[in-house]
């Protein structure tokens, strides 16, 4: 009997399972088992004893676990070259399915992301993760691909943005945000750290600008949020210039050495000297001094001379810095100056549009959740109810927990979605702090193991796919546990292997075991 590779079944099985990473398989089994106990605890009703009944959530989860194990076995038995060969077709099929889901006439909690097949409901967004990981691995393993090449970089980013856009059109913002995890892999594969820095800066702008947007600065008409964000924009540009200056030190030294052997003409020196006098903010220290000094002076004038909104003059000061950066770019023809200037201009546009995005683009429930998270509203009976109840449940577990099926908050169903998005609160209540830490350690071990396996891949395709898997698991863990603890927004994404549901468990299983199959064949030579 032969499989797709044309190898005998017995020899094939021995080869695959001999090189399979059993440590990762063990962690997977432990997480799935603990996840099932958590589903039991979250869905159990006092007096009910049939936790294995297929009419109960725990019983249905057993079906999903059994079918997931079958899926894992099938994936391991298939030829490892299939995932490379059919990466793009799988991605295309999944994108078509995501597109068709947009027109699904049935809504579930305002989302059109589910496809109903009789009594079975499937969420294509869960399977789009492994399809996108395969496609991006295929693209990045192509000949002479480099993230330092802007054309290649945008090609890779486009592969990630397409499913994000389609999922957003399904009104499933949380699942769409998961795809930003691929940027962690991009960074590992050589993407400039300035991209991650820009993303970090935008988050800081949004949080500070919205949280303190209505607070008065020392009794003046100025907003604390706007003034602080504008100052941060100026300081961030100075930071980027400082980082760039260090990286260019060797280049400047070489330029100075060449000037000794090829001196410029007197006229050219005169022109350059005049231009350098025009650029007054050409060092990071000058930018920092100008930013802090002008802000302090404006605050003092508004506080003690005559009150006015200093944000307008702060904007003018920022434009002066931008003008100097552009002039430096025109003078030296060094692209980094222009990119720093574009960063500053984009930051100013983002600051001006943050309030509009919150109040006119986001859905009312999303706006309410962000306001609760940032402490603007204290709606413990409305938008903040889920988080408030989950915090109570986790806190009631204490150090060692109340024991299996003995949680009161979860058994009395005080926590909405406690067996899906908020299942971690069941872990905290029944298993306590020690149990919650143990689960987090298991996830940390899984992530670190995946990164170790990714590093030992001999080909780009396997390495990129491995880091994509690790990034997705890390993102899910951080956001899901964070929203249960009230430190990240409630965006409704599952906890891998714990949250109830077939689509989630199948999707994560396929995502993981494709990589394990690729890793098991790392010793074999292929194209």
């Amino acid at each position: 009997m032969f499989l797709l590779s044309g190898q005998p079944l017995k020899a094939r099985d021995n080869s695959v399972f001999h090189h399979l990473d059993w440590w990762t398989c063990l962690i997977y089994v432990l997480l799935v088992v603990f996840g099932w106990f958590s589903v039991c605890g979250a869905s159990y009703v006092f007096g009910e004893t049939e936790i294995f009944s297929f009419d109960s959530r725990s019983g249905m989860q057993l079906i999903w676990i059994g079918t997931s194990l079958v899926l894992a076995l099938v994936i391991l038995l298939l030829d490892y070259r299939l995932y490379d060969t059919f990466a793009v077709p799988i991605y295309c099929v999944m994108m078509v399915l995501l597109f068709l889901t947009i027109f699904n006439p049935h809504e579930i909690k305002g989302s059109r992301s589910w496809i109903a097949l009789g009594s079975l409901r499937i969420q294509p967004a869960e399977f789009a993760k492994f399809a996108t990981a395969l496609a991006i691995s295929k693209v990045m393993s192509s000949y002479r691909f480099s993230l330092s090449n802007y054309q290649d970089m945008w090609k890779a980013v486009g592969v990630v943005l397409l499913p994000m856009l389609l999922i957003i059109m399904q009104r499933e913002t949380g699942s769409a945000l998961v795809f930003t995890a691929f940027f962690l892999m991009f960074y590992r594969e050589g993407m400039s750290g300035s991209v991650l820095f820009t993303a970090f800066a935008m988050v800081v702008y949004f949080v500070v600008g919205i949280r303190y947007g209505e607070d008065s600065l020392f009794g003046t008409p100025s907003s604390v949020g706007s003034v602080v964000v504008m100052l941060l924009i100026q300081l961030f540009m100075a930071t980027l210039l400082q980082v760039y200056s260090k990286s260019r030190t060797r280049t400047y030294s070489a330029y100075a050495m060449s000037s000794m052997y090829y001196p410029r003409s007197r006229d050219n020196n005169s022109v350059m000297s005049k231009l350098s006098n025009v650029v007054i903010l050409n060092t990071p220290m000058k930018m920092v001094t100008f930013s802090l000094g002008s802000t302090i002076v404006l605050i003092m004038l508004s506080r003690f001379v005559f009150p006015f909104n200093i944000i307008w003059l702060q904007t003018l000061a920022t434009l002066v810095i931008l003008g100097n950066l552009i002039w430096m770019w025109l003078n030296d023809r060094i692209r980094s100056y222009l990119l720093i200037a574009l960063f500053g201009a984009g930051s100013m546009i983002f600051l001006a549009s943050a309030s509009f995005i919150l109040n006119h683009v986001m859905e009312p429930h999303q706006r309410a959740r962000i306001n609760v998270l940032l402490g603007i509203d204290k709606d413990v009976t409305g938008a903040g109810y889920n988080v408030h109840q989950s915090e109570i449940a986790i806190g009631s577990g204490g150090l060692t927990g109340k024991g299996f099926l003995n949680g009161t908050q979860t058994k009395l169903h005080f926590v909405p979605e406690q067996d899906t998005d908020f299942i971690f609160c069941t872990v905290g209540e029944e298993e306590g702090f020690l149990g919650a830490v143990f689960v987090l350690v298991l996830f940390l071990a899984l992530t670190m193991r995946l990164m170790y396996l990714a590093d030992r891949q001999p080909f780009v395709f396997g390495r990129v796919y491995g880091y994509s898997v690790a990034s997705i698991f890390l993102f899910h863990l951080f956001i899901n546990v964070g929203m249960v603890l009230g430190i990240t927004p409630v965006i409704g994404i599952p906890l891998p292997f714990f949250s109830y549901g077939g689509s989630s468990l199948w999707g994560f299983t396929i995502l993981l075991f494709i990589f394990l199959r690729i890793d098991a064949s790392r010793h074999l030579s292929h194209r």
Side-chain angles (χ1 to χ4, degrees):
M1 184 176 181
F2 290 80
L3 288 177
L4 293 175
S5 63
Q7 299 177 1
L9 179 61
K10 184 176 180 180
R12 174 81 169 161
D13 287 353
N14 290 338
S15 175
V16 170
F17 294 106
H18 177 73
H19 296 280
L20 184 63
D21 187 69
W22 289 103
W23 284 110
T24 304
C25 292
L26 175 62
I27 297 173
Y28 167 79
V29 171
L30 289 175
L31 288 173
V32 169
V33 170
F34 283 120
W36 181 77
F37 280 106
S38 298
V39 171
C40 289
S43 59
Y44 179 77
V45 178
F46 282 122
E48 180 183 307
T49 58
E50 297 296 327
I51 61 174
F52 297 102
S53 171
F54 293 151
D55 294 328
S56 65
R57 290 271 201 169
S58 55
M60 285 299 299
Q61 189 71 0
L62 282 177
I63 296 179
W64 307 137
I65 292 174
T67 52
S68 295
L69 293 177
V70 173
L71 275 174
L73 180 61
V74 171
I75 290 170
L76 293 177
L77 292 177
L78 289 175
D79 193 305
Y80 64 93
R81 288 168 292 192
L82 287 173
Y83 307 114
D84 187 340
T85 304
F86 292 97
V88 174
I90 291 173
Y91 176 79
C92 293
V93 170
M94 194 56 61
M95 294 306 103
V96 172
L97 187 58
L98 287 177
F99 177 75
L100 295 177
T101 308
I102 298 173
F103 305 97
N104 177 20
H106 305 290
E107 291 189 8
I108 300 177
K109 298 180 181 179
S111 172
R112 297 178 181 269
S113 61
W114 297 86
I115 295 179
L117 302 174
S119 59
L120 180 65
R121 295 184 303 179
I122 296 178
Q123 190 175 22
E126 293 296 334
F127 303 99
K129 299 169 189 175
F130 84 85
T132 303
L134 285 174
I136 202 67
S137 302
K138 183 69 173 180
V139 170
M140 295 182 65
S141 62
S142 59
Y143 179 65
R144 300 185 69 177
F145 179 93
S146 174
L147 285 174
S148 60
N149 184 308
Y150 281 98
Q151 184 176 358
D152 288 343
M153 185 187 72
W154 283 112
K155 185 188 301 182
V157 171
V159 173
V160 175
L161 292 182
L162 178 57
M164 288 184 65
L165 177 62
L166 294 175
I167 295 172
I168 289 174
M169 294 174 68
Q170 299 171 7
R171 302 176 186 175
E172 189 66 29
T173 309
S175 297
L177 290 176
V178 172
F179 288 80
T180 60
F182 284 99
F183 285 87
L184 296 176
M185 178 274 296
F186 288 154
Y187 178 71
R188 167 61 182 80
E189 290 299 309
M191 184 185 70
S192 173
S194 60
V195 177
L196 292 182
F197 180 79
T198 300
F200 166 78
M202 296 303 171
V203 172
V204 172
Y205 297 156
F206 187 83
V207 172
V208 175
I210 297 301
R211 175 62 182 85
Y212 302 101
E214 302 298 327
D215 296 345
S216 175
L217 180 65
F218 301 128
T220 67
S222 305
S223 163
V224 173
S226 299
V227 171
V228 171
V229 170
M230 190 62 72
L231 179 61
L232 286 175
I233 293 173
Q234 298 171 359
L235 296 179
F236 283 165
M237 286 192 290
T239 301
L240 290 174
L241 185 61
Q242 174 67 22
V243 172
Y244 163 75
S245 298
K246 287 184 178 180
S247 66
R248 296 290 295 182
T249 300
R250 186 174 300 177
T251 303
Y252 289 151
S253 299
Y255 176 78
M257 184 66 68
S258 65
S259 297
M260 296 175 60
Y261 295 97
Y262 304 100
R264 292 172 296 180
S265 65
R266 180 176 301 178
D267 293 338
N268 190 36
N269 281 329
S270 178
V271 172
M272 296 298 294
S273 177
K274 292 179 180 179
L275 289 176
S276 63
N277 291 331
V278 175
V279 184
I280 57 175
L281 303 177
N282 54 1
T283 65
M285 183 56 66
K286 289 181 180 180
M287 282 189 183
V288 171
T289 303
F290 175 75
S291 300
L292 294 177
S294 61
T295 301
I296 293 174
V297 170
L298 291 174
I299 292 175
M300 298 295 288
L301 289 175
S302 180
R303 180 72 176 86
F304 298 106
V305 181
F306 59 93
F308 66 97
N309 191 349
I310 72 171
I311 190 62
W312 302 111
L313 291 181
Q314 257 195 321
T315 302
L316 180 61
T318 307
L319 292 175
V320 170
I321 296 176
L322 291 178
N324 276 265
L325 286 169
I326 294 174
W327 188 263
M328 291 164 64
W329 169 64
L330 293 173
N331 183 25
D332 297 332
R333 294 297 178 181
I334 298 176
R335 188 175 59 181
S336 296
Y337 293 143
L338 177 61
L339 294 178
I340 296 174
L342 291 176
F343 167 82
S347 298
M348 294 176 67
I349 295 173
F350 184 84
L351 172 61
S353 60
S355 179
F356 177 82
I357 293 173
L358 178 66
N359 296 312
H360 300 285
V361 176
M362 292 185 175
E363 298 291 337
H365 68 278
Q366 296 171 334
R367 182 165 58 252
R369 289 172 179 175
I370 290 178
N371 288 336
V372 170
L373 176 68
L374 297 180
I376 299 175
D377 297 331
K378 302 291 184 181
D379 188 8
V380 296
T381 61
Y385 178 79
N386 290 27
V387 175
H388 181 66
Q389 292 298 326
S390 68
E391 291 173 342
I392 293 176
I394 292 175
S396 67
L399 181 64
T400 58
K402 297 179 178 179
F404 181 55
L405 302 182
N406 290 324
T408 54
Q409 292 295 116
T410 52
K411 300 306 164 294
L412 297 176
H413 296 279
F414 282 109
V415 185
E417 312 296 338
Q418 62 187 20
D419 57 357
T420 52
D421 298 340
F422 282 83
I423 197 168
F424 190 73
C425 71
T426 305
V427 178
E429 184 178 31
E430 294 192 346
E431 309 303 328
F433 175 79
L434 295 179
V437 169
F438 179 72
V439 169
L440 293 177
V441 169
L442 279 180
F443 275 110
L444 178 62
L446 176 63
T447 304
M448 295 183 65
R449 188 67 184 174
L450 290 174
M451 290 190 291
Y452 166 75
L453 298 182
D455 273 332
R456 74 180 186 182
Q457 298 306 305
F459 299 100
V460 176
F461 182 88
R463 187 181 70 244
V464 171
Y465 186 85
Y467 271 103
S468 298
V469 176
S471 299
I472 291 173
F473 279 124
L474 186 63
F475 185 91
H476 269 273
L477 176 66
F478 177 76
I479 297 298
N480 183 276
V481 175
M483 72 182 189
V484 170
L485 297 177
I487 59 177
T488 60
V490 179
I491 61 175
I493 63 174
L495 183 63
F497 312 123
F498 273 71
S499 296
Y500 171 80
S503 294
S504 171
L505 187 55
W506 289 350
F508 287 123
T509 299
I510 295 172
L511 181 72
L512 176 63
F513 277 86
I514 287 178
F515 178 53
L516 291 181
R517 181 64 187 89
I518 295 172
D519 176 70
S521 303
R522 68 189 181 279
H523 61 289
L524 302 176
S525 60
H526 57 93
R527 67 175 183 84

